[in-house]
Amino acid sequence: MTRKYVYIFSDGKADGHGTMKDLLGGKGSGLAEMTNAGLPVPPGFTITTEACNEYYTSGQKLPNGLWEEVKAALEKVEASVGRKFGDSDNPLLVSVRSGAKFSMPGMMDTVLNLGLNEKTLKGLAAQSGNERFARDANRRFVQLFGKIVLDIPGEKFDHALEAKKNAVGATLDTDLTADHLAELNEQYLAIVRDETGRGFPSDPMEQLELAIRAVFQSWNGRRAVDYRRVNRIADDLGTAVNVQAMVFGNLGNDCGTGVAFTRDPSTGERRLYGEYLQNAQGEDVVAGIRTPKKIAQLQEEMPEVYAQFASVAERLEKHYRDVQDLEFTIEGGRLFMLQTRNAKRTGQAAVKVAVDMVSEGLIDRATALMRVEPDQLDQLLHQRIDPAAPVVVIARGLPASPGAATGQVVFDPDEAEQLHKDGKKVILVRVETSPEDYHGMVASEAILTARGGMTSHAAVVARGMGKCCVAGCSEITINYAEKRFVTKEGQTINDGDWITLDGSVGEVIKDQAPLIDPVLDDNFRTLMAWADEARTMKVRTNADTPADSQVAREFGAEGIGLCRTEHMFFEGTRIDAVREMIVAETLDERAKALAKIAPYQREDFIGIFRAMDGLPVTIRTLDPPLHEFLPHEQADIDALAEKMGIASPVLTAKVNALHEANPMLGHRGCRLGIVYPEITEMQARAIFEAAVQCTKDGVTVLPEIMIPLVSTVAELKLQEDVVRKVADEVMRETGVTVEYLVGTMIELPRAALTADRIAEVAEFFSFGTNDLTQTTFGLSRDDAGRFLPRYVEMKILPDDPFQVLDQEGVGKLVEMGVRLGRSTRSDLKVGICGEHGGEPSSVEFCHRTGLNYVSCSPYRVPIARLAAAQAAIADKEGQKASSGTA
Amino acid sequence: MTRKYVYIFSDGKADGHGTMKDLLGGKGSGLAEMTNAGLPVPPGFTITTEACNEYYTSGQKLPNGLWEEVKAALEKVEASVGRKFGDSDNPLLVSVRSGAKFSMPGMMDTVLNLGLNEKTLKGLAAQSGNERFARDANRRFVQLFGKIVLDIPGEKFDHALEAKKNAVGATLDTDLTADHLAELNEQYLAIVRDETGRGFPSDPMEQLELAIRAVFQSWNGRRAVDYRRVNRIADDLGTAVNVQAMVFGNLGNDCGTGVAFTRDPSTGERRLYGEYLQNAQGEDVVAGIRTPKKIAQLQEEMPEVYAQFASVAERLEKHYRDVQDLEFTIEGGRLFMLQTRNAKRTGQAAVKVAVDMVSEGLIDRATALMRVEPDQLDQLLHQRIDPAAPVVVIARGLPASPGAATGQVVFDPDEAEQLHKDGKKVILVRVETSPEDYHGMVASEAILTARGGMTSHAAVVARGMGKCCVAGCSEITINYAEKRFVTKEGQTINDGDWITLDGSVGEVIKDQAPLIDPVLDDNFRTLMAWADEARTMKVRTNADTPADSQVAREFGAEGIGLCRTEHMFFEGTRIDAVREMIVAETLDERAKALAKIAPYQREDFIGIFRAMDGLPVTIRTLDPPLHEFLPHEQADIDALAEKMGIASPVLTAKVNALHEANPMLGHRGCRLGIVYPEITEMQARAIFEAAVQCTKDGVTVLPEIMIPLVSTVAELKLQEDVVRKVADEVMRETGVTVEYLVGTMIELPRAALTADRIAEVAEFFSFGTNDLTQTTFGLSRDDAGRFLPRYVEMKILPDDPFQVLDQEGVGKLVEMGVRLGRSTRSDLKVGICGEHGGEPSSVEFCHRTGLNYVSCSPYRVPIARLAAAQAAIADKEGQKASSGTA
């Protein structure tokens, strides 16, 4: 069986149609669809993506039979337009364009006017009655073909053109006469000879073959590969090639070319939005050499063409039921459509269009929900840098907490606090932050650190506060003494200088960039309401304070999935008591210190329970190793020793004794609670006393106590015993009953592997996919910076597994954990509280795996709600599809 | 259905038999078996272990129906001996003994002469015609019962006895007259009243019930629980209770009691070995009050009884086909057997007995192999401390490398080298060792470190050299400046003092303890040969040097399962070139440094290939993070910088840049080879050039290149490409072909989870269960010391998972890895090279899981060979058993 490599569209009939994007690419399927719909489309044909793939698998040879099909298709096009390719009297010219399944802007290049040579040039001049036009067309063709197909640096041609214009005193390209252009063309041909060592190919068929190969070749060009990597597009899709009869927008003032959207892609407003150029070819619009006019002006200049275009645009939008991105050319007052595709749009526009189209009856709610990329909502929730503004990026770090902020650089947290009180906007810049810097972080617009990963103190605290943060920016060197930092490129930023941070991408920008405020309008609320109807998974939040809880609830969180009690330890003077507890040598001393911490914890829990009235709150018992609460530099240790009234060598010895080679795998999580059950007891008491207090006050409290870092059911059982014992005591003492659950984080491979055993005790599981990813990969998030970016670049890993859940490996453990856990306890409640809980593809995985909820930071809650809705809709559609085929 | 709680043995017939150890305990089943065999056994009955378990589950109540059964059984015994329990004229006395499935020496106590009170005492006196005997029996009874059943401190009775003896001028107990004993008994009864607030129970049935309860109670006594924990015996086995008619060894000079082994339990020599006491009760032998005589003397004193006993002993050994540990009593010239059980024995005896019994036709080879505990072989391979010698343990650390050694303490490696040259025996004591200490370690008898775990530099290097090492001994504080260390208890050991280390248990001993040399005799070789015939799994060794390889081959290693190339980096001046490579800023500089290392590596590989001529050698490419090769203390960094001729701040910056928060999860393993492929290239070139050289010299070389720390197949593929490219180059350059394999270590959960993908590239897997345990548990071996011992103590974990493979969790990943790997590549070669490869229960698991080989340190090779044989035999027997029932 021979494959069909070429799909013709011509004379109101096309071999392909709009659903064949995989084979014909976006552009090709659009042209086929428009042709079939009877719209005015210049005839042509599409070479399939399969041909491209075979080109690569066969060592860059055109597939057998392709050329015969191309010739046959070309004859059909010739017949349709009544011209002949390569004919000296009545020549057919074609455009050659790439067109992959996904649009990749700025990467695949287009060759226009292909088929010109000395002979056909004359034919074109005769045909058009315009020698200057023909010469200009030829000039453009040689220039584009030379650059794109023959790989000659574009500036060679640009320089020659500029030189010519200077020589003859021309300002615009259009000032050049036919003779000037003829002379210029000679220079162009000389450039080609110089650069390639051969003459310019004059055989139109050779031109066509070279152009087709160039399109195939560009699929693996550096820029295309990079774009696919960034946008996670598979390398084996291949690109199609569209060969289409030329129409000319530059044959006079009744000609023109333009691009337009059926709705405003920035705001979503329903009106034709776009621009056009009179008497111009497409590249002139793109190149920005001449300033195009707004599409509305076309109505005045060519009212009939405009009316026709508006009607075509409306038809196409209705046909595709989505905003269309159109390209058109007007030749002698006749409209030709060159492209239609679904338009890219901003988050705001995506939401508005989706909601509007439902009211217009164009799409249903499910479709509307599928139309918005969850990550786009981030634009609506945070300030962002005006994309139109030019900015100077001076350094790059980790996108540790999204949003953007501007402020004056300050290196000292106390100073930050003072300046903030004085009404200044500051950005705190530190090598890394520690609990002592907390007040300075609160006072700052944003935080920039030179060290530390996505889970560093700065990153975690900033995310909790919804504050922009760029962390681990190793490209800057901070000098506290001289109050300045220097970038890799040697730029110095001093105390008080303005900078802007973009925490969504991790950029440090010089000066004050203009910011755009977030928009949470009715459209957003409507869409979110639909999402909540559609989804089956609950969405909770990771929140450690009453304030965070409040914010998250406003964003639609249905409870807390992870409340990290240790973050409470850092606030204010509490850390003193915590340190006293750690340094304690006896159980008595430890108990005394714990008694000081207990009231703080109780008050925190009361605040959180109130904020989450009626919703479940999952509280994790102490997790980090104790040395995290102690200083490590000798000077800091000395200072603390003095403050605590103990000898410095004693404290130093304690710090050394607690030192761990691999703290991530050390004495933390439930291992602390097992060696020091009194810590768990204190925490449980604070939780239940708070719960009782709230219950008395009429607040509905649903605490879920979560034991971290469990690797065997015996650990969980021991900690569960402590919690239940304290719960019984508190309820007995107060006479108030509180319903509660005891469960565990599944964050170690062994916990997932033995989940059936663990579910004998656990009433719920919450997958801690941050740590689970670290242990499953044997990869420290703090240390991976040295090679993980390289890994993603080399495609060893498709994504950073700390951002996008690794479904093949870590996901297998999650599936196993859910399956085994429910085999023991069928009503086991299962959630996820790693960073992945707010990442759309991971949320989809969680839905598919049967999780009851995802939990994420407050500002990711809307994203997770939408992603969960999309997963539910896709699931339903998949079921429909499979039951349809059954 | 009512359960049967009581099993009678009487008059040549028993309810139970010898295979019912679970239900009747070792002693009870032995008594039943001997009774059935017609041997002279005093009649009695056994209360089952089930009764004990029900006693505990029902809140320490005797099970329903038990007492009725006891009474019925008692009547049978009465009938058999013609006496009556509690009868004042012709009383029956009984002994009450515990007897669990496994013998637990020194833990369960025995009550003799139970049934005595004022009335029956008179009957006993009349019956025996010996009032003194009766009074003595009563005195013993009250004393034992008071101590064991009534929980009265034994010294109360001892003091009264001593006081009495002093008062009447008696030297021996036997010097006391009947009257003295009567007076003493009054004092005993007063003690009981004082201590318990009640009189001594005079009702024999009450005495019996209290004694039975006391036996049950002792099952959960502190010592019993501790013993079970140490010896890994389950808590829910329970103990049986044996109630047996008394016979008296203390009725005169034609009486006696003794214990004997059918062969020498120290050497295995075939001769009756044991001791006895004339005119004594059992407790006298055990208590060591009188010095017993050698069993041989019985032949002279009571030739007929001896002959009978010898014949019984031989019959029992033949019957059980194993060395028996016997207890007997002679009453009036009549022999009574009180116990037979399989004898405990030393490693040397175990091997000799097993081999001898095969030549004697008693057992087959498979049985012989099952008779030796693999770990016992350790005694035959290393020097050990004479178990008879009294030693003073001054500190405890980790048993990092087995064996024992004595030497004079030295703190400096250079000094160690010098003293060694002077013919002194030294033990190197360091806080921790580093590559710079290597020459000092070579010169020392043993190594003691204060810090570091079982995989610390000291531990790994010592094991490789087969040198005794105690590591991580945090109980000592070392003062280098004053050349001494101080123990936790405040004992100071100075430079030059003699100490002894026991690396098998981790003990530091004061002074020179007498050592026993290892014995590798013909019996050992015979048994090993049988093991090799029986086993189906290969046994390889972990060896990094030609010398280690040679030793391992002599111990029977069938190849190398893990050759760690980085250990070669530490030797001599090589470390200089390695450090140069690390500090290199450019590829060129790095290549230059690598070129210096290459010849060393090649020479090492040549040596190893020669030592392993004809056997496979698995070579792992560089694994540890690069910072492990650099110093970390500022002074050391400064010194190195000067040596290398670079500025100290530059080197300091490099060290800091390489610092990792969690090096275990950091930039190591194949992650190094991917970022610096030139390192893998250099290693591959060294391997293949060595292989070609050896091939030319007629050595058969089978290299297997192993890529470490793979988490995804893409990593392996990249490294495989490098290796194969170099292999092709070297073979092309030299014209010599070398067969080789490329495979990977499976040491991360993700590798096991995606083993099907990884086997697309890997030709073999080797499970690195050290790291796999760390990541599966999220547990750093270096840091676990703070809580892991507590975990084992609290039974959260049954064993240290770094010593005994965690089959439930880590084992599940191993099984999954094997299954998935072979689903892709059915002939995938699979081995294990973690520490578990030499641990018997883990070896058994490996056999069951279908591994092709285990690999362990040279001195564990014989242990692994035997364990593999036992696994194969057990497997075969299991198959036989299941096909028998099918």
Side-chain angles (χ1 to χ4, degrees), chain B residues 572-592:
Chain B
T573 55
R574 305 175 182 194
I575 188 76
D576 298 344
V578 173
R579 286 168 168 172
E580 209 175 290
M581 184 265 288
I582 294 168
V583 175
E585 286 294 338
T586 66
L587 181 57
D588 255 18
E589 282 174 34
R590 200 152 43 240
K592 221 182 281 173

Side-chain angles (χ1 to χ4, degrees), chain A residues 651-673:
Chain A
L651 186 59
T652 306
K654 189 76 194 180
V655 170
N656 288 342
L658 287 175
H659 171 80
E660 293 184 311
N662 296 285
M664 183 57 60
L665 310 176
H667 193 190
R668 52 174 286 240
C670 68
R671 297 163 190 172
L672 287 172

Side-chain angles (χ1 to χ4, degrees), chain A residues 420-663:
Chain A
H420 177 67
K421 279 187 191 148
D422 299 347
K424 298 263 172 75
K425 284 181 155 195
V426 295
I427 289 181
L428 182 64
V429 181
R430 301 283 295 167
V431 174
E432 54 194 336
T433 63
S434 78
E436 288 97 339
D437 303 335
Y438 187 81
H439 61 291
M441 298 171 74
V442 171
S444 303
E445 303 300 309
I447 297 113
L448 169 62
T449 66
R451 270 218 293 262
M454 295 287 288
T455 49
S456 61
H457 180 260
V460 170
V461 172
R463 278 200 297 277
M465 298 192 291
K467 206 160 260 192
C468 160
C469 174
V470 174
C473 181
S474 56
E475 294 183 4
I476 65 168
T477 309
I478 297 175
N479 188 327
Y480 283 140
E482 303 184 8
K483 289 191 173 188
R484 56 184 166 84
F485 71 81
V486 182
T487 68
K488 207 174 59 176
E489 260 92 41
Q491 182 128 26
T492 300
I493 303 291
N494 292 301
D495 190 52
D497 286 354
W498 284 86
I499 60 169
T500 302
L501 297 188
D502 187 338
S504 305
V505 293
E507 288 176 348
V508 183
I509 288 157
K510 206 171 146 62
D511 304 327
Q512 278 180 274
L515 301 184
I516 298 177
D517 278 333
V519 197
L520 289 186
D521 56 10
D522 283 346
N523 290 322
F524 171 79
R525 275 182 284 274
T526 303
L527 193 80
M528 282 293 107
W530 295 344
D532 293 344
E533 276 168 32
R535 70 191 159 90
T536 54
M537 244 183 347
K538 298 269 181 193
V539 175
R540 298 195 192 179
T541 191
N542 299 350
D544 311 333
T545 65
D548 291 353
S549 307
Q550 197 51 49
V551 170
R553 189 157 193 174
E554 280 156 21
F555 280 139
E558 297 163 293
I560 291 182
L562 175 62
C563 171
R564 286 160 292 217
T565 50
E566 58 271 18
H567 289 152
M568 304 176 179
F569 283 22
F570 286 122
E571 237 174 84
T573 54
R574 305 176 182 193
I575 188 76
D576 298 343
V578 173
R579 285 167 169 174
E580 210 175 288
M581 184 266 289
I582 294 168
V583 173
E585 287 293 337
T586 66
L587 182 57
D588 255 17
E589 283 175 33
R590 200 152 44 239
K592 220 182 283 173
L594 284 167
K596 291 187 197 166
I597 307 168
Y600 294 127
Q601 289 244 303
R602 190 171 48 234
E603 285 314 305
D604 284 326
F605 293 137
I606 288 176
I608 289 169
F609 288 147
R610 279 187 205 284
M612 286 290 162
D613 186 4
L615 296 175
V617 175
T618 305
I619 299 168
R620 181 177 71 182
T621 53
L622 192 65
D623 184 55
L626 296 182
H627 52 77
E628 278 202 9
F629 299 100
L630 294 179
H632 293 95
E633 298 295 325
Q634 193 57 52
D636 298 337
I637 296 172
D638 293 346
L640 179 63
E642 201 185 323
K643 189 174 169 193
M644 295 183 72
I646 55 178
S648 177
V650 171
L651 186 59
T652 306
K654 189 76 194 180
V655 170
N656 288 342
L658 287 175
H659 171 80
E660 293 184 311
N662 296 285

Side-chain angles (χ1 to χ4, degrees), chain A residues 657 715 750 753 786 791 812, chain B residues 657 715 753 786 791 812:
Chain A
E715 292 174 311
R750 197 181 190 283
L753 291 164
R786 211 164 287 129
Y791 264 48
K812 203 164 179 178
Chain B
E715 292 174 312
L753 291 163
R786 211 164 287 129
Y791 264 47
K812 203 162 177 179

Side-chain angles (χ1 to χ4, degrees), chain B residues 403-683:
Chain B
T406 68
Q408 288 173 277
V409 165
V410 58
F411 295 93
D412 182 85
D414 296 335
E415 244 175 83
E417 197 172 36
Q418 188 52 50
L419 289 167
H420 177 68
K421 279 188 191 146
D422 300 346
K424 299 264 173 72
K425 284 181 156 193
V426 296
I427 289 181
L428 182 64
V429 180
R430 302 283 295 167
V431 174
E432 53 194 338
T433 63
S434 77
E436 287 97 339
D437 303 334
Y438 188 80
H439 62 291
M441 298 171 75
V442 171
S444 302
E445 304 300 309
I447 297 110
L448 168 62
T449 67
R451 270 219 291 264
M454 296 287 289
T455 48
S456 61
H457 179 261
V460 170
V461 172
R463 277 200 297 277
M465 298 192 292
K467 205 159 263 193
C468 161
C469 173
V470 174
C473 181
S474 57
E475 294 184 4
I476 65 169
T477 310
I478 298 175
N479 188 328
Y480 283 141
E482 302 182 10
K483 289 191 172 187
R484 56 184 167 83
F485 71 81
V486 182
T487 68
K488 209 174 56 174
E489 261 92 40
Q491 182 128 25
T492 300
I493 302 292
N494 292 303
D495 190 54
D497 286 354
W498 283 86
I499 61 169
T500 302
L501 296 188
D502 187 337
S504 305
V505 293
E507 288 176 348
V508 184
I509 288 156
K510 207 172 144 61
D511 303 327
Q512 279 179 277
L515 302 184
I516 298 177
D517 279 333
V519 198
L520 289 187
D521 56 11
D522 282 346
N523 290 321
F524 172 78
R525 274 182 284 275
T526 303
L527 192 80
M528 284 293 107
W530 294 345
D532 294 344
E533 275 168 30
R535 69 190 159 90
T536 54
M537 244 185 345
K538 297 270 181 193
V539 175
R540 298 194 190 179
T541 191
N542 299 350
D544 311 333
T545 64
D548 291 353
S549 307
Q550 196 52 49
V551 169
R553 189 158 193 172
E554 279 156 21
F555 280 138
E558 296 162 294
I560 291 182
L562 174 63
C563 172
R564 286 159 292 217
T565 49
E566 59 271 17
H567 288 152
M568 303 175 180
F569 283 22
F570 286 121
E571 237 175 86
T573 55
R574 305 175 182 194
I575 188 76
D576 298 344
V578 173
R579 286 168 168 172
E580 209 175 290
M581 184 265 288
I582 294 168
V583 175
E585 286 294 338
T586 66
L587 181 57
D588 255 18
E589 282 174 34
R590 200 152 43 240
K592 221 182 281 173
L594 283 167
K596 289 186 198 168
I597 307 168
Y600 294 126
Q601 288 244 303
R602 190 172 48 234
E603 286 314 306
D604 284 324
F605 292 137
I606 288 175
I608 289 170
F609 287 146
R610 281 185 204 286
M612 285 290 160
D613 186 5
L615 296 175
V617 175
T618 305
I619 300 169
R620 180 177 72 183
T621 53
L622 192 65
D623 184 56
L626 296 180
H627 52 78
E628 277 201 11
F629 299 101
L630 294 179
H632 293 94
E633 299 294 325
Q634 193 57 53
D636 298 338
I637 296 173
D638 293 345
L640 180 63
E642 201 186 324
K643 189 174 169 194
M644 295 182 74
I646 54 179
S648 175
V650 171
L651 186 59
T652 305
K654 189 79 195 178
V655 170
N656 287 341
L658 288 175
H659 171 79
E660 292 184 312
N662 295 285
M664 182 57 59
L665 310 175
H667 194 191
R668 51 174 288 238
C670 68
R671 297 164 191 172
L672 287 171
I674 283 169
V675 173
Y676 307 112
E678 54 276 15
I679 297 179
T680 309
E681 263 172 42
M682 178 279 284
Q683 295 201 298

